[in-house]
Amino acid sequence: MMKYISTRGQAPQLTFEEAMLTGLARDGGLYLPETIPQMSKDDIAALAGQSYEEVAFRIMRPFIGDAFTDDEFRGIIERAYAGFAHAARAPLVELAPGHHLLELFHGPTLAFKDFAMQLIGQMFEFSLKRSGKKVCIVGATSGDTGSAAIEAFRGLEAVDVFILYPHGRVSEVQRRQMTTPKEDNVHAFALTGHFDDCQARVKDMFNDFEFRDGVGLAGVNSINWARVLAQVVYYFTSAVSVGSPYRSVSFTVPTGNFGDIFAGYIAKQMGLPIERLVVATNQNDILHRCLSQGDYVPDGVIPSISPSMDIQVSSNFERALFFAYDQDGAAVSQLMDELKSGGFHVSQGAREALRESFDSGRCSEDETSATIKRTIETTSELLCPHSAVGVHVAEAQINPATPMITLATAHPAKFPAAVEAATGIHPPLPSHMADLYDRSERVTRVDNDLHALEGIIRERIAH
Ligand SMILES: *Cc1c(COP(=O)(O)O)cnc(C)c1O
């Protein structure tokens, strides 16, 4: 039976279902499976030609223990992806010889977050119906997690969903996706501050055990293991379609919280022949600096045209550090303490371990716009600014022997201002949300104040 352990080594071991419902471990750490299930070469070869849902079942099944029967789990997966607008779910297109783009934006809120959130919504619903429990989901978002979470949980009876986003720092489409749902279990909070402030307050709530237990707090931020797991699947589907397991592949991933690229690391640990995992950052390049120089020292967020990657505290990086430090929870715990007082230095050995899998690169604002423009001219693919960061960084890393797959993390219509400024083209919203600008909004302005936030949440769920 698969057990989940904390990256800080001090929290009780949990089952998959418990880790999913909880999110953050009680010692402040993040849950990881105790061992990584293996896919043999034959197992991987047998994925060719299967539906996305079938691959999802085969990849995730060994991680979930007895949380769901096979039939239940197949049903959950079917329902999760039924609302996607593309039959392939995650189609792969060729940008140039040897460079492929994995389109992860055909879900209901037009960003890759839908892959995990739609699945988690179905798993929560199943699990809570069975237990009769209720939960209160609180999440921080730089824009896309919040809209994906609200879309996945709106109207579910056993769930209240509270989303904190940085006021004035998300795109209008992102904001409207969070503020226009009418269901009264949905609560959008605009917080005065940056994404890192939103994320810090959510972490504080999880560390306030009285509040946490009192309201039945559950986290669906990218630290939730079930989200990472859902994202492992498309590394397999895309790699197999360019020739794995008989060919190695590399991936470039527009990165903020390190969740998406960490899923690639898990795919590699499971046996997928991944040569390089390239972390692509925008001008908020703390991960690029840390991977290339070893110091992780936050120095303030600079708002960019790829706002979902505007981040200084990259939560899931802790999971990569846990492996780089040979699963030493005490060492990780110490680094995270040092981070609280300014930053930390990654040891020589741990840096070498990270560099066995990860490369990195950064893309400036001008380079992002130029990449959007050049790509539409040479390929007819209209990139969102995050995907453009990925494409720019990938181009510098391509090596003719190994196919490169760059993850396209959002639909251009989610970031119309940046796309229009770069190309003169105003990307239209897909028809199912064409009236987004006409719907009325509902949002609560909140201060960056833990006590006040907890008060509002308590009051809302009492009704
Ligand atoms: C969340 C997000 C990212 C960053 O993903 P992480 O898993 O946080 O690294 C990149 N692009 C878009 C569009 C996103 O929504």
Side-chain angles (χ1 to χ4, degrees):
M1 171 78 160
M2 177 70 75
K3 280 282 174 193
Y4 286 82
I5 57 170
S6 164
T7 49
R8 303 202 192 166
Q10 298 295 317
Q13 296 192 359
L14 300 182
T15 64
F16 173 80
E17 190 174 13
E18 291 165 337
M20 170 186 86
L21 291 172
T22 271
L24 193 69
R26 289 181 94 88
D27 58 3
L30 281 61
Y31 277 107
L32 278 169
E34 198 177 29
T35 56
I36 309 279
Q38 297 298 302
M39 293 284 286
S40 70
K41 204 168 174 178
D42 288 346
D43 293 337
I44 297 170
L47 301 175
Q50 302 294 336
S51 68
Y52 188 87
E53 285 79 352
E54 177 61 28
V55 176
F57 177 81
R58 294 189 195 176
I59 299 299
M60 295 191 286
R61 181 72 193 81
F63 288 92
I64 67 166
D66 62 2
F68 311 108
T69 67
D70 286 359
D71 281 351
E72 288 165 356
F73 194 42
R74 284 183 190 280
I76 284 169
I77 293 169
E78 288 296 328
R79 289 191 294 280
Y81 298 116
F84 279 53
H86 198 296
R89 308 313 182 210
L92 196 64
V93 300
E94 196 174 15
L95 286 181
H99 190 188
H100 306 263
L101 191 74
L102 181 58
E103 293 185 350
L104 300 175
F105 50 69
H106 297 287
T109 70
L110 311 179
F112 83 88
K113 309 274 193 319
D114 287 322
F115 277 89
M117 212 62 88
Q118 287 291 320
L119 185 80
I120 264 204
Q122 294 299 327
M123 293 197 293
F124 265 69
E125 161 121 301
F126 193 97
S127 177
L128 293 171
K129 267 196 179 144
R130 181 166 58 192
S131 69
K133 289 193 181 131
K134 290 191 126 193
V135 296
C136 170
I137 289 173
V138 180
T141 187
S142 52
D144 296 326
T145 294
S147 42
I150 285 171
E151 187 62 34
F153 290 97
R154 61 196 275 184
L156 298 192
E157 257 173 43
V159 177
D160 269 291
V161 53
F162 293 86
I163 298 297
L164 276 59
Y165 69 84
H167 177 68
R169 297 184 194 277
V170 299
S171 82
E172 183 171 4
V173 174
Q174 289 176 318
R175 190 191 74 232
R176 287 181 168 275
Q177 284 180 335
M178 295 189 275
T179 58
T180 58
K182 293 190 162 53
E183 290 82 356
D184 57 15
N185 73 326
V186 170
H187 314 267
F189 285 3
L191 183 139
T192 308
H194 284 281
F195 168 66
D196 286 329
D197 300 316
C198 298
Q199 185 163 251
R201 295 298 77 74
V202 171
K203 272 204 166 188
D204 292 344
M205 287 184 223
F206 274 87
N207 289 325
D208 178 348
F209 292 153
E210 199 208 324
F211 178 78
R212 178 173 180 165
D213 297 337
V215 302
L217 209 57
V220 297
N221 265 81
S222 67
I223 52 166
N224 190 305
W225 167 255
R227 280 190 55 191
V228 175
L229 178 59
Q231 293 165 183
V232 174
V233 175
Y234 46 69
Y235 285 89
F236 278 91
T237 58
S238 59
V240 166
S241 56
V242 297
S244 289
Y246 308 110
R247 245 179 133 179
S248 296
V249 296
S250 292
F251 288 91
T252 300
V253 186
T255 295
N257 242 330
F258 214 81
D260 209 6
I261 196 158
F262 187 75
Y265 179 80
I266 295 292
K268 181 173 178 173
Q269 300 309 306
M270 289 176 76
L272 189 64
I274 297 179
E275 199 169 279
R276 308 303 302 161
L277 287 163
V278 184
V279 173
T281 74
N282 65 23
Q283 60 190 356
N284 295 289
D285 60 353
I286 186 163
L287 286 165
H288 172 54
R289 280 183 287 125
C290 179
L291 288 166
S292 46
Q293 292 152 32
D295 290 313
Y296 193 100
V297 183
D299 59 0
V301 172
I302 315 163
S304 79
I305 57 171
S306 44
S308 304
M309 294 154 60
D310 287 349
I311 190 169
Q312 291 285 327
V313 179
S314 179
S315 320
N316 279 290
F317 192 49
E318 178 168 344
R319 287 190 160 113
L321 289 170
F322 182 71
F323 285 111
Y325 278 86
D326 286 329
Q327 315 205 15
D328 179 351
V332 172
S333 210
Q334 191 185 332
L335 295 180
M336 294 302 131
D337 282 344
E338 289 170 22
L339 181 58
K340 277 191 195 140
S341 44
F344 59 81
H345 181 77
V346 180
S347 73
Q348 182 72 21
R351 237 179 91 200
E352 275 162 22
L354 286 169
R355 297 197 68 92
E356 274 171 31
S357 299
F358 299 104
D359 281 312
S360 64
R362 142 198 230 276
C363 181
S364 71
E365 295 289 274
D366 287 348
E367 288 164 337
T368 306
S369 299
T371 303
I372 299 175
K373 184 165 191 297
R374 182 164 35 80
T375 305
I376 183 76
E377 287 167 358
T378 57
T379 70
S380 82
E381 182 84 18
L382 191 56
L383 298 172
C384 93
H386 309 77
S387 310
V389 167
V391 167
H392 174 84
V393 170
E395 283 170 348
Q397 302 263 350
I398 287 177
N399 119 32
T402 312
M404 173 64 82
I405 297 174
T406 297
L407 274 52
T409 50
H411 193 287
K414 212 164 179 180
F415 303 93
V419 172
E420 190 164 1
T423 61
I425 301 167
H426 185 83
L429 284 169
S431 54
H432 72 273
M433 53 176 75
D435 67 343
L436 188 67
Y437 288 91
D438 305 326
R439 299 180 201 161
S440 64
E441 296 189 75
R442 192 164 52 93
V443 61
T444 307
R445 280 293 300 276
V446 293
D447 290 330
N448 182 14
D449 174 345
L450 178 66
H451 192 71
L453 279 166
E454 290 184 344
I456 304 174
I457 292 173
R458 278 207 170 93
E459 190 190 317
R460 292 277 179 94
I461 62 172
H463 293 285

